[in-house]
Amino acid sequence: MTVVLRPRQPWEAVDLGCAMVRRDFGRLLLLWASTVFPLWAAVCVLLRSAPEWIPLVVWWLKPLYGRVPLYFLSRAAFGVRPGFVETWKAWPRLWLSNFLPALLWRRFSFIRSFAMPAQMLEGLRGSAANRRVKTLAMDGGGSGSSLSYAFSKIELVAWLGLMWGTYELLPESAQPDWNGLYQAFDIENTIPDAFLWWGAACHMIVVSLVEPFYVGAGFALYLNCRTRIEGWDVELAFRRMATRLSGAAAVLIACFAFSGGQAIAQEAEGKDAAKVVKEVLKDPAFEVHKIKTKEWVPEFDAPDLPTVPKLDFLGVIGEVLFWLVIVGLVVWLVIYLVNNRQMFVTRGVSKAPVRAPKVIMGLNITRESLPDDIVAAARAAWAAGDFKEALSLLYRGSLSWLVTRRHVPISDSDTEEDCLVHVLKAGEKTEASYFKQLTGAWVQIAYAVLPVSDEEMKSLCDQWPFVEKGGEA
């Protein structure tokens, strides 16, 4: 074997197959050119009046192309690289084998490269081949489908890329009239035959470069599948071991025969056969190891067994489901009440004394540090061009109201984001919505040093919600 057989992950096996193709890519391309190009030449001659159908026919005949590369790779994996003449002579037999199934009902198989080794190398036909492929597909069928999907996308992208990259090299007479095609959709008069022949040639080049790797990757998946489900690597290791030990055994037998083996045999003939067997069995290699296990087997006395009432299986299941629903509802209710505990807090001004922070994030929020009419002072600062001071007055005033009147649990170590989270949890939608908008404007001008529009500032002043019932701020 020129390949190390061991259980691999599917994409690791695919990489192994691509490495096998790269190792002999020159020979594979030579075999490809000598077997596939004559077929393509015949297709081009037959479809010379309709070149737009050539890429479709080339694509449809793909199951035939990979048989010669697979024949070469399957023998190269075992250290025997068939010559060019030998492979070329096997070409007709390889293509005629399972010719109609490959091009008809098996043509759209997504595991084509994975199933081809089982169908071609194992010599199975008909239902036996189908059963074999199904057995292998239980382990590697998904990987084979993914392989076909990936390589189809690689081939499509490479084809379009090659056409795009060489489009400017075409003479003007070979370039389609794209405007006319878009307006009239007249393919015959807007797309020249030279353009169609060029597209078919690009497709053939891409298939020649990609298809051998697709075949090699499928063959590697096949080898990996047999290794995983049949222990093929272990079998080959035992064969190598047997080959290596058979030579050593022959040498030992020869030494035994010529260095006293006859004397030992004569001595053994004079003894009783039973004694010889006993002496041989005394060797530690023939020691029998026994383990005694105690197994408790209950003794049942049928008449003395208590009668067990029959249980209604569906009734038990129904009762269990009922109690599971009850427990689930109770847990949901508890979680809901905990998350919405602010609904049970008395709205409005609290009579309980609260120790509110005086400074938050370096901002003094005491009532003494703020003007009597916060909104008017903010408007005046904004009109004077002191935008940061204007928003600072609104933000400090909001915090002062929230911690002293609403008793929002804001601490002196909280950040703007922490303050916003506490306000949102407090439950006052109007105040929470306003404070969210105000926080965004304050952070924008205080940290990002980005301007706030006059409309947004006017909206913040007009919507100021922190007012007593009597109207005083």
Side-chain angles (χ1 to χ4, degrees):
M1 288 289 292
T2 61
V3 178
V4 178
L5 286 184
R6 58 176 176 82
R8 290 176 166 87
Q9 294 297 323
W11 290 113
E12 186 184 1
V14 169
D15 186 64
L16 171 65
C18 293
M20 294 169 61
V21 175
R22 288 197 304 269
R23 181 182 60 183
D24 298 304
F25 191 60
R27 298 185 183 183
L28 290 174
L29 276 185
L30 181 61
L31 293 172
W32 180 279
S34 63
T35 57
V36 177
F37 285 178
L39 176 64
W40 285 350
V43 171
C44 292
V45 171
L46 293 175
L47 298 177
R48 59 185 179 277
S49 59
E52 65 273 11
W53 292 100
I54 292 178
L56 178 61
V57 176
V58 169
W59 173 82
W60 190 270
L61 297 176
K62 271 188 176 183
L64 301 179
Y65 309 153
R67 297 188 174 191
V68 171
L70 178 60
Y71 174 83
F72 181 88
L73 291 174
S74 63
R75 281 150 181 78
F78 289 90
V80 179
R81 287 179 171 82
F84 175 80
V85 177
E86 178 185 356
T87 308
W88 199 79
K89 288 182 178 179
W91 165 36
R93 175 180 58 83
L94 296 174
W95 277 29
L96 293 177
S97 177
N98 289 323
F99 180 82
L100 290 179
L103 297 180
L104 296 179
W105 55 87
R106 292 178 186 168
R107 178 60 188 87
F108 294 101
S109 174
F110 283 97
I111 58 172
R112 175 169 60 88
S113 67
F114 171 75
M116 187 164 56
Q119 297 165 348
M120 194 181 83
L121 303 179
E122 297 185 13
L124 300 177
R125 297 289 185 274
S127 59
N130 294 333
R131 288 194 301 269
R132 177 60 171 167
V133 171
K134 289 181 180 179
T135 301
L136 296 176
M138 293 176 63
D139 181 78
S143 303
S145 300
S146 301
L147 177 69
S148 298
Y149 177 81
F151 269 84
S152 63
K153 297 300 177 289
I154 292 173
E155 183 177 311
L156 178 61
V157 171
W159 183 20
L160 297 178
L162 181 60
M163 292 184 65
W164 190 8
T166 58
Y167 181 78
E168 296 297 333
L169 301 178
L170 294 178
E172 187 175 354
S173 60
Q175 297 180 5
D177 181 12
W178 299 112
N179 293 329
L181 178 64
Y182 176 75
Q183 294 174 1
F185 202 72
D186 187 2
I187 298 178
E188 294 183 358
N189 297 324
T190 56
I191 299 182
D193 288 345
F195 180 83
L196 298 176
W197 282 105
W198 168 70
C202 290
H203 181 246
M204 293 177 186
I205 293 174
V206 170
V207 171
S208 300
L209 297 177
V210 175
E211 188 69 12
F213 287 97
Y214 175 64
V215 174
F219 176 59
L221 278 179
Y222 165 79
L223 294 179
N224 190 56
C225 182
R226 292 198 59 177
T227 301
R228 290 167 59 92
I229 67 177
E230 298 177 0
W232 203 12
D233 55 336
V234 178
E235 178 184 351
L236 293 177
F238 277 122
R239 289 185 181 181
R240 290 193 298 267
M241 187 183 300
T243 303
R244 187 170 61 251
L245 294 180
S246 61
V251 174
L252 290 177
I253 292 174
C255 293
F256 177 79
F258 292 103
S259 64
Q262 296 179 353
I264 297 176
Q266 291 175 359
E267 182 180 356
E269 290 176 357
K271 296 183 179 180
D272 185 38
K275 293 181 179 180
V276 174
V277 172
K278 290 181 180 180
E279 292 179 0
V280 172
L281 293 178
K282 289 180 180 180
D283 190 275
F286 295 96
E287 182 179 354
V288 179
H289 300 274
K290 295 182 180 180
I291 299 177
K292 293 184 179 181
T293 59
K294 294 183 178 180
E295 183 179 358
W296 176 74
V297 181
E299 296 180 0
F300 293 98
D301 190 359
D304 297 334
L305 288 176
T307 57
V308 180
K310 295 183 178 180
L311 296 177
D312 185 2
F313 182 74
L314 295 179
V316 173
I317 296 297
E319 186 174 357
V320 171
L321 292 177
F322 171 77
W323 286 109
L324 287 176
V325 172
I326 295 298
V327 172
L329 290 175
V330 172
V331 172
W332 174 82
L333 181 60
V334 172
I335 295 175
Y336 178 79
L337 293 177
V338 171
N339 293 336
N340 298 275
R341 58 185 180 276
Q342 67 273 3
M343 296 189 303
F344 305 98
V345 179
T346 304
R347 302 294 184 186
V349 180
S350 177
K351 297 180 180 180
V354 177
R355 183 177 297 176
K358 296 181 179 181
V359 178
I360 300 177
M361 296 171 291
L363 301 175
N364 191 347
I365 65 169
T366 60
R367 192 65 188 87
E368 295 78 11
S369 65
L370 294 168
D372 294 336
D373 193 340
I374 297 175
V375 176
R379 291 182 189 272
W382 187 268
D386 195 351
F387 305 136
K388 185 175 181 179
E389 176 63 21
L391 284 171
S392 174
L393 287 171
L394 295 180
Y395 191 69
R396 290 163 55 204
S398 302
L399 289 176
S400 179
W401 172 276
L402 291 168
V403 298
T404 58
R405 302 301 180 91
R406 290 291 183 227
H407 306 291
V408 178
I410 297 176
S411 63
D412 53 1
S413 61
D414 286 341
T415 63
E416 285 87 352
E417 184 178 357
D418 297 330
C419 295
L420 179 59
V421 171
H422 290 310
V423 174
L424 293 176
K425 288 184 178 180
E428 282 289 346
K429 294 184 178 179
T430 303
E431 296 174 358
S433 176
Y434 177 84
F435 188 75
K436 183 178 180 180
Q437 181 182 1
L438 176 60
T439 301
W442 165 247
V443 171
Q444 179 177 335
I445 199 170
Y447 299 104
V449 196
L450 296 176
V452 178
S453 64
D454 294 338
E455 292 77 8
E456 186 175 358
M457 181 60 185
K458 184 177 183 300
S459 175
L460 290 173
C461 292
D462 294 341
Q463 297 177 10
W464 179 262
F466 306 108
V467 181
E468 296 287 359
K469 293 182 179 179
E472 181 183 358

